[in-house]
């Protein structure tokens, strides 16, 4: 009897498939928290030489953007570091220009190494210094240039997957390599200098409000609105004092992290990463993780938390 039933169901499934339908009882979709992404790390000692080699092999003009994408090993072929986020390390040499373009995905920059470069957003030039966080809103004209004497490297973060998912990924090149800068912008709504961020973290530390999982953590906000810098991405900087031993924590947002200063350790599910300056690592959605600090350790991070909160999906557990 069972064999007959199974045979009938098999034939029924084929009839359904012929009409581009599938029975819910055969669903293979994930119905649990978390994603396919897994914990991974890109160590600066490995990535920096590759960026230098890329600078030798291809010009910024040839590449348009000389970027090494950080693709999650469990998301091969997607170019994404989590299912919703892009991350890449971009390098620009003295005298180079990354041509002007714009796109609907939002972008952020964390300056990793070097000085003398700038990003221009809708005609306003913003200097790039290590540890600075720079906002590039979606559909803003932007270009980069290096007027210094050494290479400059930064971490790019974009919400490209959201635009792709919604069919709203538009892109346009400017007719010339760069727009004429109409003003110099030392500090604006689009720039969060690390010097100011570091001072705020130190001020927070004096208040004694140490989070047991995150240490002292700031969440960047648009000073005009008080909201996240992007509708999809939340951005943070946290300071783990030397000797800090964080509690286990997990949340539904997948986070991309970059070590700005110091050394420590990240335990993410079954993965254990020793952290050094400029290392980039990813904490996938709903994976239990904890941080410890061998020295004072400052970590920058961005995640899809803003989108999850807006949609009512975000949860955490400590």
């Amino acid at each position: 009897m069972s064999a007959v039933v199974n045979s009938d169901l098999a034939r029924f499934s084929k009839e359904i498939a012929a009409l581009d339908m599938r029975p819910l009882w055969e669903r293979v979709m994930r119905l649990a928290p978390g994603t396919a992404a897994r914990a991974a790390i890109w160590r600066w000692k490995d990535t920096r030489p590759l960026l230098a080699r890329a600078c030798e092999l291809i010009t910024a003009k040839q590449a348009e953007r000389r970027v090494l994408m950080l693709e999650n090993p469990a998301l091969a072929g997607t170019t994404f570091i989590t299912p919703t986020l892009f991350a890449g390390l971009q390098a620009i040499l003295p005298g180079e220009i990354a041509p002007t373009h714009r796109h609907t995905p939002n972008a952020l920059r964390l300056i990793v190494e070097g000085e003398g470069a700038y990003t221009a957003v809708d005609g306003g030039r913003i200097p790039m210094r290590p540890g600075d966080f720079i906002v590039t809103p979606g559909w803003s004209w932007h270009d980069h240039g290096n007027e210094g004497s050494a290479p400059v490297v930064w971490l790019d973060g974009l919400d490209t997957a959201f635009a792709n998912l919604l069919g709203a990924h538009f892109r346009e090149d400017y007719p010339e390599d760069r727009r004429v800068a109409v003003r110099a912008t030392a500090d604006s709504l689009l720039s969060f200098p690390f010097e100011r961020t570091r001072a705020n973290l130190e001020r927070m530390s004096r208040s004694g409000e140490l989070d047991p999982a995150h240490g002292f953590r700031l969440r960047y906000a648009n000073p005009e609105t008080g909201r996240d810098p992007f509708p999809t991405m939340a951005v943070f900087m946290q300071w783990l004092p030397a000797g800090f031993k964080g509690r286990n924590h997990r949340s539904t947002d997948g986070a991309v992290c970059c070590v700005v200063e110091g050394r420590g350790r990240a335990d993410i599910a079954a993965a254990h990463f020793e952290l050094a300056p400029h290392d980039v690592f990813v904490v996938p959605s709903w994976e239990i993780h904890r941080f410890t600090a061998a020295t004072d350790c400052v970590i920058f991070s961005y995640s899809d938390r803003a989108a999850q909160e807006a949609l009512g999906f975000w949860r955490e557990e400590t």
Side-chain angles (χ1 to χ4, degrees):
M1 184 67 175
S2 178
V4 173
V5 171
N6 289 338
S7 176
D8 288 343
L9 277 176
R11 285 195 298 271
F12 183 50
S13 293
K14 290 180 180 179
E15 291 176 31
I16 292 172
L19 296 176
D20 298 317
M21 297 187 292
R22 292 192 64 182
L24 179 64
W25 56 87
E26 292 181 4
R27 63 191 171 197
V28 294
M29 69 182 74
R30 184 187 185 106
L31 296 176
T35 68
R38 72 171 187 250
I41 188 168
W42 292 263
R43 302 185 188 283
W44 183 243
K45 67 180 181 63
D46 299 323
T47 56
R48 183 61 179 86
L50 294 176
L51 283 166
R53 183 65 172 150
C55 289
E56 295 173 1
L57 294 174
I58 188 167
T59 66
K61 189 173 184 64
Q62 290 172 320
E64 187 193 5
R65 297 290 193 269
R66 191 192 288 110
V67 178
L68 296 183
M69 300 183 296
L70 309 182
E71 184 178 73
N72 194 289
L75 303 174
T78 66
T79 75
F80 297 139
I81 193 167
T82 77
T84 58
L85 299 173
F86 171 94
L89 290 168
Q90 181 167 173
I92 189 168
L93 294 175
E96 287 186 332
I97 295 171
T100 305
H101 68 196
R102 63 181 178 176
H103 39 67
T104 43
N106 299 283
L108 64 82
R109 330 282 175 196
L110 172 73
I111 316 311
V112 176
E113 178 185 85
E115 296 192 31
Y118 66 85
T119 186
V121 181
D122 282 337
R125 280 196 179 187
I126 303 168
M128 293 176 154
R129 301 184 183 89
D132 289 0
F133 159 49
I134 297 173
V135 174
T136 306
W139 209 237
S140 300
W141 291 112
H142 57 281
D143 60 81
H144 316 295
N146 187 346
E147 297 178 338
S149 58
V152 175
V153 178
W154 62 86
L155 174 68
D156 284 323
L158 289 90
D159 57 0
T160 312
F162 286 98
N164 290 354
L165 176 66
L166 299 172
H169 193 157
F170 293 85
R171 187 185 180 285
E172 184 179 0
D173 292 320
Y174 196 68
E176 301 173 12
D177 281 351
R178 61 178 171 181
R179 300 180 74 198
V180 176
V182 296
R183 63 191 183 281
T185 308
D187 185 9
S188 70
L189 299 178
L190 304 180
S191 177
F192 297 83
F194 181 60
E195 181 180 2
R196 187 176 70 197
T197 301
R198 196 72 167 83
N200 286 334
L201 285 169
E202 290 176 358
R203 189 176 303 113
M204 180 183 286
S205 72
R206 290 194 292 272
S207 73
E209 298 174 2
L210 179 71
D211 185 277
H214 304 298
F216 301 106
R217 186 164 76 154
L218 292 174
R219 183 171 181 171
Y220 289 99
N222 181 322
E224 283 194 337
T225 65
R227 298 177 180 175
D228 291 296
F230 308 99
T232 51
M233 296 184 289
V235 188
F236 303 87
M237 190 78 82
Q238 65 192 102
W239 175 21
L240 310 178
F244 177 80
K245 295 181 180 179
R247 288 185 186 173
N248 283 350
H249 178 265
R250 63 179 175 179
S251 56
T252 51
D253 54 324
V256 181
C257 307
C258 181
V259 182
V260 178
E261 295 179 352
R263 295 179 180 274
R265 177 184 171 102
D267 296 293
I268 309 168
H272 310 286
F273 302 138
E274 297 297 326
L275 306 177
H278 312 326
D279 288 351
V280 179
F281 62 99
V282 59
V283 181
S285 170
W286 210 240
E287 293 286 5
I288 294 175
H289 60 278
R290 63 182 178 276
F291 296 136
T292 57
T295 67
D296 283 354
C297 189
V298 179
I299 299 174
F300 172 88
S301 64
Y302 65 98
S303 78
D304 56 8
R305 177 170 171 175
Q308 289 201 23
E309 287 180 333
L311 295 169
F313 291 150
W314 186 78
R315 293 189 184 191
E316 70 173 334
E317 183 178 274
T318 301

